[in-house]
Amino acid sequence: MNTGEITKVRVEMTVTEEVTYDFPVTVEVPTVLADDPEALTEYLVENEDLWLDDLPITGGSEVCLAVNEPVVEEGNLLPFAEAG
């Protein structure tokens, strides 16, 4: 797209990325769940407080992060006075 003139504007953007984390974590769970992967997964979904603080958002030696392509959801022009 070539429209001739170019200008700079300040925008506020909403960008969505989906990140998948594969990481080891030690959690305490009811013994009956230890041999039932489906029930264990359900329990971990319902009790994210058991592992959420250990989510390795910056990666690590035992962590595998996969990020999809960013998708621009929205862009809004900001008034020039808000330009930093």
Side-chain angles (χ1 to χ4, degrees):
M1 174 185 200
N2 187 357
T3 60
E5 292 185 42
I6 301 291
T7 189
K8 288 184 178 181
V9 296
R10 184 147 171 95
V11 297
E12 179 177 73
M13 296 177 60
T14 301
V15 177
T16 301
E17 290 181 327
E18 182 177 300
V19 180
T20 301
Y21 299 89
D22 287 319
F23 64 101
V25 64
T26 301
V27 294
E28 292 183 2
V29 299
T31 305
V32 68
L33 300 178
D35 290 329
D36 185 344
E38 188 174 310
L40 176 60
T41 300
E42 194 173 303
Y43 184 82
L44 293 172
V45 167
E46 293 172 1
N47 296 279
E48 69 179 25
D49 58 304
L50 295 174
W51 54 266
L52 190 59
D53 288 343
D54 295 316
L55 189 66
I57 60 174
T58 57
S61 62
E62 296 183 274
V63 178
C64 178
L65 298 177
V67 181
N68 70 345
E69 291 293 320
V71 176
V72 176
E73 301 289 336
E74 185 176 358
N76 295 304
L77 188 61
L78 295 174
F80 191 75
E82 292 187 38

